[in-house]
Amino acid sequence: MRLMDQLNWKDVTSENLNFYRAVGVECLIVHLPVEMADGKDHTEDFRRLKQFVADHGLELAVLHSHYVPRDKIVMGLPGRDEQIEVWKQVLRAIGGAGVSRTATTFYAISHFRSPATTGRGGATYSTFDYEALMKDPPCVPDRVIGAEALFEHIGYFLKRVVPVAEEAGVRIALHPDDPPIPDPLGGAARIVGSLDNYERIFGMAPSRSNGMLFCQGCVAEMGEDVIKAIHRIGSQDKIVFVHFRDIRGTPYRFQEVFIDEGDNDMLRAMEAYKAVGYDGPVMLDHTPGIPADPTGRAGHAYANGYIKALIQAVYR
């Protein structure tokens, strides 16, 4: 297992890479900007990035496609086939650069949170409180859509891009909805919110290239037993990479807390990954905001050190 952290494309600088190398990070996920979905072949741009990262002692393990447009794909609108062609091109370029993983989401409306709360030492916790959110319910009229339509649209998408990803040697990691509750939010259903739904999605385009970004925090938000979930998804070889974080609370009211104070046993989680044979990247995803740490470096250093210690304890 390798410790990973993330940067946006424009933030891949020597200063940031040296910081990650110094705190023990071994590989990197870079979020592709929307400019990389311009219809051009960016294989050489990706190769140069990979070499720049390697020159700093790190591996470019994931090129994240979250910002590659998919709004028409998700809603089943005219123009979705053109967006799918862009996805195919991006996947070929990622594979052509020798990067084996990408990631995306599939929601009509983005993640939802209520106002942040305060934790230990005045740290800021990302928080979801369904009752608080529903006091002024969000509504996005032009994004209203039902669950079966979303299932139809993700199937249409996967059946066309997964064969291209497979040929390019790229695995697509689908991130859960956050929060992954079954209730529509903002008028849109949410289908990437349960392990049963994941398995339905896997079946739409059976391939090792059609997998899961196993976000432990979101799996806990589902109300699932995280250890059992690791075994369930990991035994199918569907974990592409891991967001190793935790929450405190229930599916309808939770906080994203520091890695050592959540509801789940993180040592047992690490042991579960080893038990299913997982040996890919694992990363913090994000962590509470620490006072007087505007860049987030202290939070990243703390979480990365904690994860690194668990990796060494369990895998070595």
Side-chain angles (χ1 to χ4, degrees), residues 122-195:
T124 303
Y125 293 168
S126 177
T127 300
F128 179 72
D129 185 329
Y130 183 80
E131 288 188 8
L133 189 71
M134 289 301 107
K135 289 178 180 177
D136 184 17
C139 183
V140 186
D142 64 342
R143 308 297 288 175
V144 172
I145 190 169
E148 288 309 310
L150 282 172
F151 275 118
E152 178 185 343
H153 299 164
I154 196 171
Y156 187 93
F157 171 66
L158 292 173
K159 288 171 185 175
R160 286 157 178 78
V161 301
V162 166
V164 175
E166 196 171 47
E167 184 178 346
V170 176
R171 301 187 72 190
I172 302 171
L174 178 63
H175 189 285
D177 292 331
D178 193 359
I181 59 175
D183 312 61
L185 292 174
R190 305 169 69 73
I191 62 168
V192 195
S194 73
L195 300 186

Side-chain angles (χ1 to χ4, degrees), residues 20-80:
Y20 282 149
R21 186 76 178 93
V23 299
V25 171
E26 296 159 300
C27 57
L28 191 70
I29 176 172
V30 174
H31 294 259
L32 298 177
V34 69
E35 290 80 10
M36 295 297 173
D38 59 0
K40 298 178 182 178
D41 180 359
H42 288 282
T43 303
E44 290 305 316
D45 295 309
F46 298 165
R47 285 177 178 160
R48 283 192 292 271
L49 179 74
K50 184 182 179 185
Q51 186 60 54
F52 183 71
V53 171
D55 289 343
H56 290 78
L58 299 165
E59 175 198 355
L60 181 59
V62 185
L63 282 169
H64 200 305
S65 300
H66 175 71
Y67 297 114
V68 177
R70 65 198 181 287
D71 54 321
K72 294 179 174 62
I73 298 169
V74 172
M75 299 301 291
L77 297 173
R80 68 175 174 177

Side-chain angles (χ1 to χ4, degrees), residues 246-266:
D246 203 8
I247 66 160
R248 187 167 56 213
T250 66
Y252 287 86
R253 188 177 184 182
F254 61 82
Q255 298 170 302
E256 296 183 32
V257 297
F258 285 106
I259 194 168
D260 63 294
E261 61 173 350
D263 291 337
N264 291 281
D265 186 326
M266 303 301 268

